[in-house]
Amino acid sequence: ALLGRPVELQPRQSPDDIPAARDFWDLSHLNTNLPKVARFEERVVLRERDGVALTAEIYVPEGDGPFPSLLYLHGGSWSLWSPAHLRRLAMRFAAQGYVTVNLDYGLAPEYPFPWAAQDAIFACRWISEHAHEWGSDGGPLTIAGDSAGANRGAAPGPASLPPPGADWPPPGPAHGPGG
């Protein structure tokens, strides 16, 4: 048994077999006893690219904001799962006081590299421009993820570096613990 279900795995013969395997690996049955949040929105459209909507689930904490922002990137071997599969986990961040954007990035093989990395980079930029609409304080963005999502979360770092010759670090107060 795997995650409370009987398992009979069949080896995949080609990448074309991956989309059909997504139903088998559905984890949404684990979404019980969801943490309390003030607001929960599914399929918020961040952009359209080549006729494909980039969407996210957004969770807003209870209490008085403004709140820090967090981008959550689900795992799943770069080819499985979605925000719905790890909703409970991502909602825990909101329950701890983060406006949480749980991104539904493009999955392989339908959207090969660098599609999902570009989705993560775009989501960071979208959050910096729109998170205030969800009660965010507009401060530094926390990026979190599990497995392939953690790997995907590394993509925005280098992409957010300043261009050569730019004033770096930018003037102003430092952010971080106690700062």
Side-chain angles (χ1 to χ4, degrees):
L2 178 66
L3 300 172
R5 298 185 315 188
V7 176
E8 185 177 322
L9 298 175
Q10 300 296 323
R12 294 184 193 97
Q13 302 300 315
S14 82
D16 295 334
D17 295 341
I18 293 172
R22 290 182 185 138
D23 288 338
F24 174 81
W25 293 103
D26 183 357
L27 300 179
S28 59
H29 67 282
L30 300 175
N31 287 329
T32 59
N33 300 315
L34 295 175
K36 287 187 72 173
V37 296
R39 186 172 168 196
F40 164 40
E41 298 287 335
E42 290 183 86
R43 300 203 46 81
V44 175
V45 177
L46 309 187
R47 78 164 169 195
E48 298 265 341
R49 174 170 50 148
D50 297 337
V52 178
L54 174 60
T55 64
E57 292 188 352
I58 300 179
Y59 322 116
V60 177
E62 293 185 315
D64 296 325
F67 306 102
S69 298
L70 182 140
L71 171 63
Y72 188 78
L73 299 153
H74 64 83
S77 303
W78 300 282
S79 59
L80 306 170
W81 299 342
S82 72
H85 295 119
L86 295 170
R87 181 176 292 152
R88 181 174 163 198
L89 176 61
M91 287 179 85
R92 288 181 181 173
F93 292 109
Q96 294 299 312
Y98 289 87
V99 172
T100 304
V101 178
N102 190 0
L103 188 66
D104 195 7
Y105 59 83
L107 300 177
E110 295 94 328
Y111 303 101
F113 182 84
W115 187 281
Q118 292 166 341
D119 283 350
I121 293 165
F122 182 86
C124 289
R125 293 176 180 155
W126 185 92
I127 291 167
S128 72
E129 295 175 13
H130 297 277
H132 68 277
E133 299 166 18
W134 303 89
S136 171
D137 61 10
L141 172 64
T142 299
I143 302 174
D146 63 285
S147 191
N151 176 276
R152 193 64 64 223
S160 64
L161 292 174
D167 184 20
W168 191 257
H175 294 284

